[in-house]
Amino acid sequence: MEKLVRQIIDNFSSFKRPKNWVLKLLSLLFALFLWYFVVGEDKVDMNVTIPVEIVNLPRELVISNQFKKQLEVTVSGQRSLIRGITSQHISRTIDLSKASPGTVVIQNHPDSISLPRGLNILRVQPPTITLLLDRLIQKELPIKPILVGQVHPNFKLETVTADPPTLEISGPQSILGEEQNLVTSPIDINDLDHSTVKQVSLALKPEIADLIGEPVVAVRLNIVELKKEIEFADIPIEFDITAGRQTEVIYQLLPPTISITAEIPQTMAQGSNNIRGLLQAKISPETLQAGSTNLKVLVETPPKAKILAIKPETVTLKIYATRRLKIKP
């Protein structure tokens, strides 16, 4: 470059035609400018960050450990060239096309990173990269809800289901090989008395969380009220044989009362006397119209109560006398 500058100066001195004086001056100034930035710029040592790029990793393998994905490289050269490294997307490329399961130690020599001409690498940190290569497997693991506490004493937890019920995970065999299920964070069900859906996160091991993040699942808690079997004795039978008739009938039902065994909610059972007043035993009018003296008993119950048995299911109608009613004009 210095030789070029001297040649331009000599040409300018020897050339005496005034019409090219401006052109020669511009050439001289350009040469001086170029010499300053190419030759005259001071050399410096700077630290730059170079990313690590993994290429050609076999599909059946996975890197199972955390490794440093950036290198700190000390570069010597002109400041302007060093600053241009970031725009050139320079990286430390590691080719794993021939890799197999196990531990691989990669040496970070200065010549393992290609830099533009005029730049030299003085130091690379870390000097090595250790990769643990493992076989890639896929498992579908069921989700197991973890419950804490007890539901209300008058209720029971009938079913617990997670939505989704399973998660499919891909990862290193060393991490997933022994896993049988995924558990949720603790779900408080203490004194709960109704069905509900809880949105909960999974309590994951750190290495599994690195594979799937922090998913949230819906846990459905089906809670039903406990029921109690109670027998109600001596329930009177309601029956009006004269309803809608023009004759008066003197009759007797045998027996006049029945026993009812019912399954009722636990909270309702605590006031069983009140329930007794809500049970109604009646004679079926259809049976009476058929002319039979053995009449079926129908029982009306409050909501949520279930009839288990009626004793007896039929009663006998005994008619002693009948007389025509007088109709007032």
Side-chain angles (χ1 to χ4, degrees), residues 4-269:
L4 174 62
V5 173
R6 292 194 189 97
Q7 183 178 356
I8 294 175
I9 294 175
D10 293 341
N11 292 339
F12 178 76
S13 301
S14 62
F15 196 83
K16 298 181 180 180
R17 294 182 181 181
K19 63 180 180 179
N20 291 329
W21 179 82
V22 175
L23 181 61
K24 291 296 183 178
L25 180 60
L26 291 176
S27 299
L28 176 63
L29 293 177
F30 175 75
L32 293 174
F33 177 80
L34 185 63
W35 175 82
Y36 174 76
F37 280 98
V38 176
V39 178
E41 186 178 3
D42 294 336
K43 289 186 176 182
V44 297
D45 297 341
M46 294 181 62
N47 291 329
V48 296
T49 300
I50 302 296
V52 175
E53 182 181 4
I54 305 295
V55 297
N56 299 325
L57 178 65
R59 295 181 61 181
E60 70 275 9
L61 297 181
V62 64
I63 300 174
S64 62
N65 69 314
Q66 298 291 332
F67 63 94
K68 198 170 181 63
K69 295 179 174 58
Q70 290 184 329
L71 303 178
E72 294 181 2
V73 181
T74 302
V75 180
S76 176
Q78 296 170 6
R79 189 185 304 271
S80 59
L81 293 178
I82 295 176
R83 288 176 175 174
I85 289 178
T86 55
S87 62
Q88 298 181 41
H89 305 291
I90 295 174
S91 64
R92 164 68 169 110
T93 302
I94 299 176
D95 187 357
L96 296 179
S97 57
K98 298 181 180 180
S100 58
T103 302
V104 178
V105 179
I106 309 296
Q107 301 291 333
N108 293 318
H109 299 296
D111 57 0
S112 63
I113 303 173
S114 299
L115 294 182
R117 181 177 297 181
L119 297 178
N120 296 315
I121 295 178
L122 303 180
R123 184 175 65 94
V124 180
Q125 286 294 331
T128 61
I129 295 176
T130 301
L131 302 178
L132 301 181
L133 301 183
D134 199 353
R135 294 196 179 279
L136 181 65
I137 65 172
Q138 192 172 58
K139 291 189 77 173
E140 187 172 3
L141 297 176
I143 297 174
K144 180 182 179 182
I146 301 300
L147 307 180
V148 177
Q150 297 291 332
V151 298
H152 190 280
N154 290 333
F155 294 79
K156 72 172 181 178
L157 181 61
E158 193 166 65
T159 59
V160 181
T161 56
D163 185 17
T166 62
L167 280 181
E168 192 171 300
I169 305 176
S170 298
Q173 186 175 18
S174 59
I175 295 177
L176 298 179
E178 300 299 323
E179 295 298 322
Q180 300 299 321
N181 54 49
L182 302 174
V183 299
T184 67
S185 300
I187 303 171
D188 185 9
I189 62 170
N190 198 42
D191 214 30
L192 201 60
D193 61 0
H194 60 277
S195 298
T196 185
V197 178
K198 300 277 189 179
Q199 301 290 333
V200 294
S201 59
L202 298 181
L204 301 174
K205 298 177 181 178
E207 55 270 24
I208 295 182
D210 290 339
L211 297 175
I212 63 175
E214 298 180 356
V216 174
V217 299
V219 176
R220 303 179 183 277
L221 304 170
N222 184 25
I223 296 177
V224 297
E225 190 170 1
L226 291 174
K227 294 184 178 182
K228 185 175 182 180
E229 186 175 313
I230 300 179
E231 183 176 350
F232 300 91
D234 300 326
I235 301 296
I237 302 173
E238 298 179 10
F239 179 54
D240 186 4
I241 196 173
T242 62
R245 294 171 175 266
Q246 296 181 0
T247 57
E248 180 181 4
V249 180
I250 300 174
Y251 69 93
Q252 182 183 11
L253 292 177
L254 297 177
T257 62
I258 61 171
S259 295
I260 299 174
T261 302
E263 185 182 72
I264 62 176
Q266 188 82 10
T267 52
M268 196 179 291

